[in-house]
Amino acid sequence: MSLLEQLTQDMVTAMKAKDKETLSVVRMLKAAVTNEQISLGHDLTSDDENAVLSREYKQRKESLAEFESAGRTDLVEKTQHELAVVEKYLPEQLTAEEITQIVQAAIEQSGAESMRDMGKVMGIVMPQVKGKADGKLVNETVKAALS
């Protein structure tokens, strides 16, 4: 089942359950996926779908941090609910240990020795973890391993 079909099915379920918050998030996700499909001009691959979902997740994560720092508890709760809904559609995320193992293998493969080689390592790691790990966490792991 494609992501669009899953989103449509979940949208109907949320409508029947009268769950307005979930319905709103599912509609936003469906719109984002459809817009991406239109802009690319073809059906989305699973990697394309994951990229859209990751982008939506990242936007909400950044919003959450802003709302927390501003003390907007009403928006914090809403954004946390949105994050939970988006997470349902994301592929399972890698643990910090798994990311560290991938980074170590990339360092050995590239022969990286210092922070100047960070680009080489990131170039090897990011395609492997695309959609499965937060880029910020990967970046921090690579920095820690090279310093």
Side-chain angles (χ1 to χ4, degrees):
M1 178 182 302
S2 75
L3 180 61
L4 273 176
E5 292 169 348
Q6 180 68 43
L7 288 170
T8 303
Q9 192 176 50
D10 291 350
M11 204 167 71
V12 171
T13 304
M15 279 186 221
K16 287 180 180 177
K18 298 188 188 320
D19 185 355
K20 290 182 182 178
E21 291 84 16
T22 302
L23 178 61
S24 170
V25 177
V26 172
R27 279 185 173 153
M28 281 190 279
L29 289 175
K30 186 173 181 196
V33 171
T34 304
N35 288 340
E36 185 75 10
Q37 192 171 13
I38 291 168
S39 70
L40 292 177
H42 59 79
D43 288 344
L44 300 180
T45 64
S46 62
D47 285 343
D48 294 335
E49 290 173 346
N50 287 338
V52 172
L53 290 172
S54 295
R55 186 171 54 235
E56 293 295 317
Y57 184 80
K58 183 179 178 184
Q59 286 174 355
R60 283 164 179 76
K61 198 83 161 156
E62 290 170 354
S63 296
L64 181 65
E66 291 293 322
F67 296 148
E68 286 174 340
S69 68
R72 296 289 310 267
T73 55
D74 55 331
L75 294 175
V76 167
E77 291 173 13
K78 181 179 183 269
T79 307
Q80 286 173 334
H81 175 72
E82 289 178 5
L83 280 170
V85 173
V86 175
E87 279 178 347
K88 288 191 325 188
Y89 301 102
L90 283 170
E92 190 172 328
Q93 299 294 294
L94 296 171
T95 64
E97 277 180 19
E98 292 170 324
I99 294 170
T100 303
Q101 290 172 353
I102 292 170
V103 167
Q104 289 300 330
I107 289 172
E108 290 172 17
Q109 180 183 342
S110 67
E113 297 175 0
S114 67
M115 288 298 288
R116 287 182 294 180
D117 301 321
M118 186 170 174
K120 292 180 191 175
V121 177
M122 291 296 287
I124 295 170
V125 173
M126 287 312 288
Q128 295 177 33
V129 300
K130 187 176 183 180
K132 298 181 205 165
D134 180 31
K136 187 175 179 181
L137 177 61
V138 173
N139 190 314
E140 291 169 359
T141 306
V142 170
K143 282 182 181 176
L146 290 176
S147 58

